[in-house]
Amino acid sequence: AYTQVSKRAKEIGVMDMDGGRAGTITRDKTINLSPAWSPNGGQIAFTTFGKGGKGEGSPEIAVIGSGGGAAKRVTSNGTINVSPAWTPNGTLTVASALTGDTEIYLMSLSGNILGRLTSSFGIDVNPSWSPDGSQFVFASERAGRLHLFKGSAGGGAERLTFVGTQNDNPVWSPKGDKIAFQSLSGGWDIFIMNSDGSMIQRLTS
């Protein structure tokens, strides 16, 4: 799944791994970003600036079937709602500025808050869950610039990165032993590390 730019709009598209059968599944002529697959592959959550509801024009979260169709608005609160992700059991995770700065919440598909996962000064965004659902990694400004932290549904957070100026968009590996992320080091590059923050390796240059 990806974001495609066309005629002043950004739509969500889906294609095969080799680039075949590419096509857009949203057609609302607005800005749609950050597609995230549900664990069963049947739905895609994304951030939208589309029209409708109290949150018109602000970044809100929507969900659409992976084959297209009508998208369902999950949030409509008129604040910042970004970086949707799914837990392994299919619960939606959203970074939302409901209390001022952006914190990470568990949320039902009807927009009800099921739990708050972070509470700190500075934004918390872009969560990714471990395969067993016990922990999640996320980017946070609580240490100043963006760094990666690991948290759990029970609260608390452990800092994983101490180098780099902007560490963001972490993705937990399917085996659970590695975390990939992007970092700004002259340009944006991809790095990988153990899930405890050790053995950082640079993959692109």
Side-chain angles (χ1 to χ4, degrees):
Y2 58 95
T3 296
Q4 176 175 301
V5 180
S6 61
K7 295 182 179 179
R8 301 180 183 177
K10 293 183 178 181
E11 305 286 3
I12 303 300
V14 172
M15 63 181 174
D16 292 341
M17 289 177 60
D18 62 1
R21 296 192 298 176
T24 57
I25 58 173
T26 63
R27 295 176 178 84
D28 49 12
K29 298 179 181 179
T30 185
I31 298 175
N32 298 313
L33 306 167
S34 304
W37 289 94
S38 65
N40 64 10
Q43 295 176 298
I44 295 175
F46 60 97
T47 299
T48 181
F49 289 77
K51 299 179 180 180
K54 178 182 176 182
E56 182 171 333
S58 63
E60 303 287 349
I61 303 300
V63 172
I64 191 171
S66 58
K72 176 185 177 182
R73 186 71 68 89
V74 175
T75 66
S76 187
N77 52 41
T79 186
I80 297 172
N81 303 274
V82 292
S83 58
W86 302 81
T87 68
N89 66 6
T91 302
L92 196 60
T93 312
V94 173
S96 181
L98 292 170
T99 58
D101 63 357
T102 308
E103 305 288 350
I104 298 173
Y105 298 86
L106 292 170
M107 188 174 291
S108 72
L109 293 182
S110 59
N112 295 321
I113 301 297
L114 303 177
R116 179 171 173 171
L117 298 177
T118 64
S119 180
S120 71
F121 177 80
I123 64 170
D124 296 329
V125 292
N126 294 324
S128 175
W129 287 85
S130 62
D132 63 4
S134 64
Q135 295 178 304
F136 63 99
V137 61
F138 62 100
S140 176
E141 287 185 338
R142 65 184 65 192
R145 295 179 178 179
L146 273 180
H147 279 282
L148 301 185
F149 291 77
K150 182 168 61 177
S152 67
E158 173 189 356
R159 185 172 175 177
L160 297 180
T161 61
F162 294 85
V163 296
T165 57
Q166 296 288 323
N167 300 315
D168 199 5
N169 288 316
V171 180
W172 216 302
S173 70
K175 290 183 179 180
D177 59 335
K178 300 286 185 179
I179 293 170
F181 62 98
Q182 70 179 50
S183 183
L184 185 59
S185 179
W188 289 106
D189 281 295
I190 303 300
F191 293 75
I192 196 168
M193 63 183 174
N194 292 335
S195 59
D196 62 1
S198 63
M199 291 291 292
I200 293 179
Q201 296 174 281
R202 183 172 182 167
L203 300 184
T204 67
S205 181

